[in-house]
Amino acid sequence: MKPVISKELENSVHEKIIDLCIHAIESRLKKAESNKEPELVEYYEGKLKKPFSIKKGLKDYLRKENTKIQEVVVCDDMFVEYPYYIRTK
């Protein structure tokens, strides 16, 4: 069942999930750099530009709204899930 939260907060949660995916891409970028694969390095750097512009200020907003994103849950080889919760008074 979906929690009753504002659309703005829901969008912020989704954007934070994007932030976590950025971390995964950065890890692959570092591996490609260490393996000296310039094509992959260029590819991953291109993929990181837009998400970096989106994530500014997101962490502070979620903290202010008492929202916590938990660790990734691997569902299968194609999908992952990021559970989250919101603290209420």
Side-chain angles (χ1 to χ4, degrees):
M1 185 172 175
K2 183 179 172 192
V4 179
I5 60 174
S6 70
K7 192 66 174 171
E8 183 177 295
L9 184 55
E10 183 179 356
N11 289 340
S12 295
V13 168
H14 293 160
E15 290 173 12
K16 179 62 178 176
I17 291 168
I18 291 170
D19 187 42
L20 296 169
C21 292
I22 288 171
H23 178 70
I25 293 172
E26 286 176 332
S27 298
R28 291 180 182 189
L29 175 64
K30 289 178 185 177
K31 184 177 179 182
E33 287 173 340
S34 68
N35 292 340
K36 297 181 180 167
E37 299 173 358
E39 297 87 17
L40 275 178
V41 170
E42 187 177 323
Y43 174 76
Y44 289 134
E45 286 175 346
K47 292 294 181 185
L48 286 173
K49 288 180 183 177
K50 186 174 180 180
F52 276 143
S53 66
I54 293 173
K55 74 175 196 170
K56 290 182 182 179
L58 184 59
K59 188 175 182 179
D60 292 334
Y61 175 75
L62 289 173
R63 185 177 296 130
K64 179 183 149 200
E65 294 294 326
N66 295 319
T67 303
K68 174 81 174 167
I69 311 269
Q70 297 175 335
E71 292 295 317
V72 64
V73 175
V74 178
C75 298
D76 59 30
D77 62 339
M78 289 184 61
F79 295 99
V80 294
E81 185 176 279
Y82 290 93
Y84 64 92
Y85 65 89
I86 301 166
R87 288 186 219 132
T88 59
K89 294 181 182 182

